[in-house]
């Protein structure tokens, strides 16, 4: 599977380089600011913006930044109930380079089919109270959860342009190789086995957190309360944007 992913990433990148060679001059708006709609469907309190800048006739770079919170989960396992969240926070940063396929596109960049590499970093924090009912007398504890995801991959997408100003950007395929780092820390006056409870919480998060159930199933925390592993991942996005700037002549 890893060999297949590497071959796919290499093929997409080489295809983009081969087809995106520049030739004639063309007039284009060079800037697009976009709102990521996908994050609002998946995460809590999400607000992510992307900025695309044309650098050549058929090439651009994109920078993404924003905030998003760990999804609110009450049931953290068969015997674990989340009572109250004291704090939730999260971030997203990313960059990508796009090759618009000149031979496949009838319209000027950034309208049309594109491929290219990307890197994305996600981070989430959550502090809350839990009640563990797996003992004769339910016990309360404080739970700190941390999840960081670093993804490197390649994507295939298509961008529509409307009335010269508005864009609809669809990332159709985005396989990646991702590092998943998860850490929990239980504190308080309790007698239950913290390691077992942390494993129970992890299984619940893997099942309910977007995308984790597909890549980290059957994983368990180490005795220290950490999980650090690499696995296949994927990216999909829907963004709406506004183009601005004067028309500029771009060349190879």
């Amino acid at each position: 599977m890893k060999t297949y992913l590497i071959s796919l990433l290499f093929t997409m990148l080489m295809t983009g380089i081969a087809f995106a060679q520049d030739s004639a001059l063309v007039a284009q708006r060079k800037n697009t600011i976009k709102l990521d709609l996908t994050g609002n469907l998946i995460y809590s309190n999400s607000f992510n913006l992307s900025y695309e800048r044309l650098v050549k006739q058929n090439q651009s770079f994109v920078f993404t930044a924003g905030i998003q919170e760990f999804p609110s989960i009450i049931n953290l396992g068969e015997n674990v109930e989340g009572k109250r969240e004291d704090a939730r926070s999260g971030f997203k940063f990313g960059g990508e380079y796009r090759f618009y396929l000149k031979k496949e596109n009838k319209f000027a960049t950034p309208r049309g089919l594109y491929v290219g590499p990307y890197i994305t970093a996600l981070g989430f924090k959550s502090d809350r109270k839990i009640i563990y009912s797996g003992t004769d007398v339910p016990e309360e504890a404080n739970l700190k959860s941390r999840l960081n995801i670093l993804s490197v991959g390649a994507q295939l997408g298509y961008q529509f342009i409307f009335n010269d100003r508005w864009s609809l950007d669809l990332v159709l395929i985005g396989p990646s190789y991702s590092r998943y780092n998860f850490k929990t820390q239980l504190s308080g006056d309790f007698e239950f086995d913290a390691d077992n409870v942390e494993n129970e919480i992890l299984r619940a998060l893997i099942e309910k957190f977007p995308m984790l159930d597909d890549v980290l199933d059957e994983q368990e925390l180490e005795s220290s309360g950490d999980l650090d592993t690499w696995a296949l991942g994927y990216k999909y996005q829907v963004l709406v944007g506004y183009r601005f700037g004067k028309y500029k002549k771009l060349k190879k």
Side-chain angles (χ1 to χ4, degrees):
M1 191 65 179
K2 292 181 181 179
T3 302
Y4 171 77
L5 176 64
I6 294 172
S7 299
L8 178 60
L9 299 183
F10 181 79
T11 301
M12 291 176 65
L13 183 57
M14 291 300 102
T15 301
I17 294 174
F19 282 107
Q21 300 301 315
D22 303 317
S23 54
L25 292 171
V26 63
Q28 300 165 301
R29 297 189 189 278
K30 298 177 68 174
N31 309 288
T32 309
I33 189 75
K34 308 175 190 181
L35 175 65
D36 183 359
L37 302 180
T38 312
N40 295 292
L41 299 175
I42 298 177
Y43 304 108
S44 300
N45 297 330
S46 174
F47 183 75
N48 295 308
L49 292 177
S50 293
Y51 170 68
E52 181 175 8
R53 172 78 172 184
L54 300 183
V55 293
K56 292 185 179 181
Q57 179 180 337
N58 296 301
Q59 299 177 28
S60 70
F61 71 82
V62 181
F63 177 74
T64 300
I67 59 173
Q68 54 199 20
E69 294 182 354
F70 209 95
S72 181
I73 302 175
I74 297 177
N75 183 7
L76 294 171
E78 181 179 357
N79 299 308
V80 184
E81 178 184 358
K83 296 297 293 183
R84 184 184 77 245
E85 284 191 302
D86 298 321
R88 280 191 299 163
S89 63
F91 66 84
K92 178 180 181 179
F93 292 104
E96 57 191 84
Y97 200 90
R98 294 184 174 184
F99 299 93
Y100 285 84
L101 306 187
K102 182 179 178 180
K103 293 185 178 181
E104 302 297 326
N105 296 327
K106 298 180 180 180
F107 306 98
T109 306
R111 180 176 179 179
L113 193 69
Y114 62 84
V115 298
Y118 72 88
I119 182 170
T120 303
L122 303 176
F124 301 92
K125 295 182 180 180
S126 176
D127 298 340
R128 62 167 56 191
K129 301 285 187 181
I130 66 165
I131 298 293
Y132 181 70
S133 58
T135 55
D136 294 337
V137 178
E139 297 181 279
E140 184 177 283
N142 300 313
L143 171 66
K144 290 186 177 182
S145 301
R146 305 291 185 266
L147 174 62
N148 294 297
I149 306 174
L150 176 65
S151 300
V152 179
Q155 62 185 359
L156 168 70
Y158 194 96
Q159 183 161 228
F160 299 89
I161 302 296
F162 304 98
N163 297 327
D164 188 49
R165 287 288 189 178
W166 302 98
S167 70
L168 176 62
D169 191 359
L170 307 176
V171 176
L172 306 175
I173 303 173
S176 69
Y177 196 48
S178 303
R179 180 186 180 187
Y180 298 85
N181 180 264
F182 185 89
K183 182 177 181 62
T184 61
Q185 182 179 1
L186 287 168
S187 62
D189 185 15
F190 55 80
E191 297 182 359
F192 58 78
D193 188 322
D195 290 344
N196 288 336
V197 175
E198 287 169 347
N199 280 323
E200 188 172 342
I201 293 172
L202 175 63
R203 286 190 291 270
L205 291 174
I206 288 176
E207 179 181 348
K208 297 178 182 179
F209 192 88
M211 300 183 293
L212 282 186
D213 58 333
D214 293 330
V215 297
L216 295 183
D217 195 20
E218 303 300 329
Q219 295 282 356
E220 289 191 352
L221 289 170
E222 300 174 357
S223 58
S224 60
D226 295 336
L227 171 66
D228 194 348
T229 187
W230 288 84
L232 298 181
Y234 53 88
K235 170 187 178 183
Y236 55 90
Q237 279 183 299
V238 178
L239 307 98
V240 293
Y242 178 77
R243 303 178 65 213
F244 61 96
K246 296 181 180 180
Y247 279 108
K248 298 291 184 180
K249 292 285 188 178
L250 297 181
K251 61 182 180 179
K252 184 176 178 180

